[in-house]
């Protein structure tokens, strides 16, 4: 184990203080920001483009280095398939490229194409007149991508590159062949000697002139794991991140999902890779084994909490597949840490139920004030109604409560009102029988469950947003349901009709304030035209209608005729169809909307098949369908000015 460093006070400036002054990030010049970006690894430098419009293209003006290194990607794939050990550092260099690339497969040519697109896009955007270093490292087919590689070399020569490095890791007939002709047009730019200094473009480096307060403000805009990684920039930066007070977000929720998909050679989305990689960097000989990964995760969280110096934190979040029995003491310590730091938002998602789920007890809260807590989210946490009542009764400013997949929750009720509670979400708590919470300022309520329960929320004068899935949809429309008398206030409504106990589609009263409606349908509700026509008639000022077909699969029966409504839906502007396949059911509904919504501005077609598991448990595995032919038929029916968007 490394020798512990001296106290942070000897490393960080002794006069360093955090004060709640105004955010001065906007006062920094572009020159300083580009200087800061130049200290970051290239792929992280690129990712700052999402911070704001101002930051979007700042990285393109850097002149230090363009380092396209995905050299370990295919090695990782091969090792993963053969279940060999790999080092965490093998993951570090390639991940950013895959973020937000959907349905990427572990297939060599596909990965090479992705890599080439990434490099081409970066070079297209780059604005600097010079670059210090241009480096490409990836398993490249030199014959197939020869023109692209030639263009990359020409780009670097035009930019008066000082250091040029090419590593394509492929020999034989597919190796890249370098010729002298490529240098003929650039001989006046000798490689290794820059004709102008980068300082001529952006001025002197004034990073050292910035105060620690400003640097911490900048760090607070970054995702937590990237914030941590700035500690390698210099001695001064090593512990700056520990003084941030915004958020501690330990999210590795997709790690084991990726492992399982990799073993079975399934498709995965690039976004599944984004949240967990930083943890594995520099961890040697990591195996794809659940307990080993959990131990690594626990060590990472413990070390970060040990270093943190801020007096408060806005948000503390942990999301990982945790064995709640084995690591109970560690989880207890994490919760105590957050309470000592007067956390505002506490979120725990351990993704494990049954005997190994973590059990939350009231004793852990006894020594701490809960006055600062405004949001509490518990997912796959065993918590009883008694524990929640204790917590809520001691949280006078609680605004958000989310409980999901808690099998020990039977009765959720409080004896005292919760005047600050605005958002309540109770999802998939299989043993739940009753919700009784007086919350006079409640704005939004979401419930998902396979059985009907009793719901009492008191007077709800500000209630405008409701989402209900399962048998409670039927209870919602009954006269003895306390919520039913507030339906007329709703502005947003989401319904999930999955149960087979419904004999027919429910009939709603007229709701004249409803602006947005989302409807998730399973058979047998898809075969009834009333699921569209009756609802639209009941909601006369509806602006947006989202219809999600769960498991839709049916034939195309040729020509479809849809009637024109006696009273067209004058306010409907946006319609979205999710799970569209181009069969009789969805085509008929789409054509009905097109014919009877004269104010329609946009129709969105999402051609995928969502499963019931995705809807109930947020475990998405969509499959794109070949519905373009039918979409084109819809497009020909659209009135002028109506936008068609295909996802």
């Amino acid at each position: 184990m490394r020798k512990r460093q001296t106290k942070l006070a000897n490393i960080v400036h002794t006069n360093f203080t955090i004060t709640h002054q105004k955010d001065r990030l906007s006062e920094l010049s572009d020159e300083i920001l580009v200087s800061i970006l130049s200290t970051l690894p290239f792929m992280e430098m690129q990712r700052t483009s999402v911070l704001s419009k101002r930051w979007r293209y700042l990285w393109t003006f850097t002149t230090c280095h363009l380092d396209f290194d995905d050299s370990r990607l295919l090695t990782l794939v091969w090792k993963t398939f053969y279940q060999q050990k790999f080092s965490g550092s093998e993951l570090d260099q390639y991940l950013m490229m895959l973020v937000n690339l959907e349905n990427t497969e572990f297939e060599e040519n596909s990965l090479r194409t992705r890599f080439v697109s990434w490099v081409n896009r970066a070079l297209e955007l780059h604005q600097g007149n010079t670059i210090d270093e241009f480096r490409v490292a990836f398993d490249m087919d030199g014959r197939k991508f020869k023109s692209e590689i030639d263009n990359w070399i020409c780009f670097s020569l035009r930019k008066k590159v000082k250091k040029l490095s090419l590593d394509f890791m492929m020999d034989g007939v597919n190796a890249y062949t370098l010729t002298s002709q490529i240098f003929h047009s650039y001989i006046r730019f000798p490689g290794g000697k820059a004709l102008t200094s980068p300082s001529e473009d952006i001025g002197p480096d004034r990073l050292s002139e910035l105060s620690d307060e400003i640097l911490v403000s900048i760090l607070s805009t970054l995702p937590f794991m990237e914030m941590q990684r700035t500690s390698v920039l210099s001695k001064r930066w090593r512990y700056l991140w520990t003084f941030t007070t915004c958020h501690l977000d330990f999210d590795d929720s997709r790690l084991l999902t990726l492992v399982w998909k990799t073993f079975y050679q399934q498709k995965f989305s690039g976004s599944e890779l984004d949240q967990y990689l930083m943890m594995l960097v520099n961890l040697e000989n990591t195996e794809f084994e659940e307990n080993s990964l959990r131990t690594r995760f626990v060590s990472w969280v413990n070390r970060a909490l040990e270093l943190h110096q801020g007096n408060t934190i806005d948000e503390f979040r942990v999301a990982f597949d945790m064995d709640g029995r084995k690591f109970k003491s560690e989880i207890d310590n994490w919760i105590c840490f957050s309470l000592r730091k007067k956390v505002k938002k506490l979120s725990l998602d351990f993704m494990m139920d049954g005997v190994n789920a973590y059990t939350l007890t009231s004793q852990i809260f006894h020594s701490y004030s809960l006055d600062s807590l405004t949001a509490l989210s518990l997912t796959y946490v065993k918590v009883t109604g008694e524990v929640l009542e204790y917590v809520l009764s001691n949280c006078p400013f609680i605004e958000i409560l989310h409980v999901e997949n808690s099998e020990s929750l039977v009765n959720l009720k409080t004896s005292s009102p919760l005047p600050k509670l605005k958002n309540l979400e109770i999802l998939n708590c299989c043993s739940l029988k009753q919700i009784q919470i007086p919350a006079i300022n409640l704005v939004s309520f979401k419930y998902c469950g396979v059985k009907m329960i009793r719901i009492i929320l008191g007077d709800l004068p500000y209630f405008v947003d409701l989402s209900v899935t399962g048998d409670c949809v039927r209870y919602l429309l009954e006269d003895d349901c306390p919520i039913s008398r507030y339906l007329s206030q709703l502005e947003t409504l989401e319904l999930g009709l999955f149960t087979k106990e419904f004999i027919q589609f429910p009939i709603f009263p007229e709701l004249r304030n409803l602006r947005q409606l989302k409807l998730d349908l399973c058979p047998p509700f898809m075969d009834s035209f009333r699921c569209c026509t009756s609802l639209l008639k009941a909601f006369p000022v509806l602006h947006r209608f989202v219809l999600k077909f769960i498991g839709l699969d049916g034939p195309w029966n040729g020509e479809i005729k849809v009637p024109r409504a006696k009273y067209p839906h004058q306010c409907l502007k946006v319609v979205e169809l999710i799970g569209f396949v181009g069969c009789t059911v969805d085509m008929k509904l789409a054509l009905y909307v097109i014919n009877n919504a004269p104010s329609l501005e946009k129709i969105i077609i999402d051609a995928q098949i969502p499963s019931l598991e995705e809807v109930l448990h947020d475990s998405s595995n969509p499959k794109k369908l070949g519905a373009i032919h039918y979409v084109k038929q819809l497009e020909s029916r659209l009135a002028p000015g109506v936008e068609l968007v295909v996802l």
Side-chain angles (χ1 to χ4, degrees), residues 70-335:
D70 277 7
S71 56
R72 300 295 186 181
L73 179 57
L74 295 179
T75 302
L76 172 68
V77 176
W78 298 329
K79 286 188 175 184
T80 302
F81 283 159
Y82 290 102
Q83 303 185 30
Q84 298 178 8
K85 293 181 178 180
F86 63 92
S87 67
S89 59
E90 288 178 322
L91 298 170
D92 186 32
Q93 296 299 316
Y94 71 89
L95 183 64
M96 302 306 179
M97 178 193 74
L98 293 179
V99 174
N100 298 325
L101 297 179
E102 298 298 325
N103 300 320
T104 304
E105 295 186 18
F106 272 156
E107 196 276 326
E108 294 182 36
N109 287 326
S110 174
L111 292 173
R112 293 185 183 116
T113 302
R114 296 288 194 186
F115 179 82
V116 169
S117 299
W118 171 46
V119 178
N120 287 344
R121 179 59 175 163
L123 302 192
E124 178 185 349
L125 292 175
H126 191 263
Q127 301 295 313
N129 294 324
T130 64
I131 50 175
D132 291 348
E133 180 181 3
F134 183 80
R135 178 172 177 266
V136 179
F138 193 62
D139 188 304
M140 290 294 295
D141 187 326
R143 292 200 304 173
K144 181 177 180 180
F145 297 103
K146 178 171 173 54
S147 63
E148 286 83 357
I149 297 172
D150 287 346
N151 289 336
W152 300 345
I153 298 173
C154 291
F155 169 89
S156 69
L157 297 175
R158 287 197 303 272
K159 297 286 185 174
K160 306 172 188 177
V161 66
K162 292 181 178 180
K163 300 177 182 179
L164 176 60
S165 175
L166 304 174
D167 180 0
F168 297 135
M169 296 176 285
M170 183 174 288
D171 53 13
V173 294
N174 292 324
Y176 172 73
T177 301
L178 182 65
T179 62
S180 61
Q181 286 80 2
I182 202 170
F183 297 96
H184 288 171
S185 300
Y186 307 97
I187 198 68
R188 61 186 182 276
F189 300 139
K193 295 182 180 179
L195 300 182
T196 60
S197 170
S199 62
E200 294 176 7
D201 295 326
I202 62 173
D205 179 10
R206 295 192 292 179
L207 182 61
S208 59
E209 299 176 11
L210 296 177
S211 68
D212 289 343
E213 180 183 2
I214 291 179
L215 294 179
V216 170
S217 178
I218 294 172
L219 287 177
S220 299
T221 66
L222 299 176
F224 174 64
M225 285 185 280
E226 294 181 27
M227 183 195 306
Q228 276 190 301
R229 298 195 69 205
T230 61
S231 62
V232 303
L233 296 179
S234 69
K235 288 184 178 180
R236 182 188 176 193
W237 284 75
R238 187 168 188 181
Y239 295 106
L240 279 178
W241 71 268
T242 68
F243 289 89
T244 58
T245 61
C246 51
H247 57 270
L248 299 180
D249 188 352
F250 303 94
D251 184 354
D252 277 6
S253 56
R254 298 296 185 182
L255 178 57
L256 294 179
T257 301
L258 173 67
V259 175
W260 298 329
K261 288 188 175 183
T262 303
F263 283 158
Y264 291 101
Q265 302 184 33
Q266 296 178 6
K267 292 181 179 181
F268 64 92
S269 67
S271 58
E272 289 177 325
L273 299 170
D274 186 32
Q275 295 299 318
Y276 73 88
L277 185 65
M278 302 304 180
M279 179 194 75
L280 293 180
V281 175
N282 298 324
L283 295 179
E284 300 298 324
N285 298 320
T286 304
E287 295 184 9
F288 269 158
E289 198 275 327
E290 292 183 36
N291 288 326
S292 173
L293 292 173
R294 293 185 183 117
T295 301
R296 297 288 192 184
F297 179 82
V298 169
S299 298
W300 171 47
V301 177
N302 287 343
R303 179 59 176 163
L305 302 192
E306 179 184 351
L307 292 174
H308 190 263
Q309 299 297 307
N311 294 325
T312 62
I313 50 176
D314 291 342
E315 180 179 5
F316 182 80
R317 179 172 178 264
V318 179
F320 193 63
D321 189 302
M322 291 294 295
D323 187 326
R325 292 199 304 173
K326 181 177 180 180
F327 296 103
K328 179 171 174 54
S329 62
E330 287 83 356
I331 297 172
D332 287 345
N333 290 335
W334 300 345
I335 298 174

Side-chain angles (χ1 to χ4, degrees), residues 268-429:
F268 64 92
S269 67
S271 58
E272 289 177 325
L273 299 170
D274 186 32
Q275 295 299 318
Y276 73 88
L277 185 65
M278 302 304 180
M279 179 194 75
L280 293 180
V281 175
N282 298 324
L283 295 179
E284 300 298 324
N285 298 320
T286 304
E287 295 184 9
F288 269 158
E289 198 275 327
E290 292 183 36
N291 288 326
S292 173
L293 292 173
R294 293 185 183 117
T295 301
R296 297 288 192 184
F297 179 82
V298 169
S299 298
W300 171 47
V301 177
N302 287 343
R303 179 59 176 163
L305 302 192
E306 179 184 351
L307 292 174
H308 190 263
Q309 299 297 307
N311 294 325
T312 62
I313 50 176
D314 291 342
E315 180 179 5
F316 182 80
R317 179 172 178 264
V318 179
F320 193 63
D321 189 302
M322 291 294 295
D323 187 326
R325 292 199 304 173
K326 181 177 180 180
F327 296 103
K328 179 171 174 54
S329 62
E330 287 83 356
I331 297 172
D332 287 345
N333 290 335
W334 300 345
I335 298 174
C336 290
F337 169 89
S338 69
L339 297 176
R340 284 197 305 272
K341 299 285 185 174
K342 302 174 184 178
V343 65
K344 294 180 181 179
K345 299 177 182 179
L346 176 60
S347 177
L348 305 173
D349 182 357
F350 297 134
M351 295 176 286
M352 181 174 289
D353 53 11
V355 295
N356 292 323
Y358 171 73
T359 300
L360 182 66
T361 62
S362 60
Q363 286 78 9
I364 202 169
F365 298 96
H366 287 170
S367 302
Y368 305 99
S369 169
L370 303 181
D371 289 352
S372 62
L373 195 63
T374 61
L376 177 63
S377 177
L378 304 173
T379 303
Y380 286 107
V381 173
K382 284 185 178 180
V383 59
T384 63
E386 292 75 18
V387 172
L388 281 177
E389 182 176 12
Y390 175 84
V391 173
L392 295 175
S393 63
N394 287 279
C395 291
F397 302 105
I398 191 77
E399 296 180 4
I400 301 172
L401 176 62
H402 175 102
V403 183
E404 184 174 356
N405 289 303
S406 179
E407 59 185 29
S408 47
L409 183 60
V410 179
N411 291 296
L412 176 58
K413 60 181 181 179
T414 59
S415 55
S416 56
L418 300 177
K420 296 291 185 180
L421 189 64
K422 296 180 180 179
N423 297 280
L424 177 61
E425 297 184 358
I426 309 298
L427 311 176
N428 303 316
C429 297

Side-chain angles (χ1 to χ4, degrees), residues 570-586:
Q570 300 290 346
C571 297
L572 190 60
K573 298 182 182 299
V574 180
V575 173
E576 182 174 0
L577 301 178
I578 302 175
F580 182 89
V581 299
C583 67
T584 301
V585 173
D586 52 16

Side-chain angles (χ1 to χ4, degrees), residues 496-509:
L497 303 178
F498 307 134
T499 176
K500 297 180 180 179
E501 296 184 11
F502 281 109
I503 299 176
Q504 61 182 5
F505 193 85
I507 299 176
F508 277 81

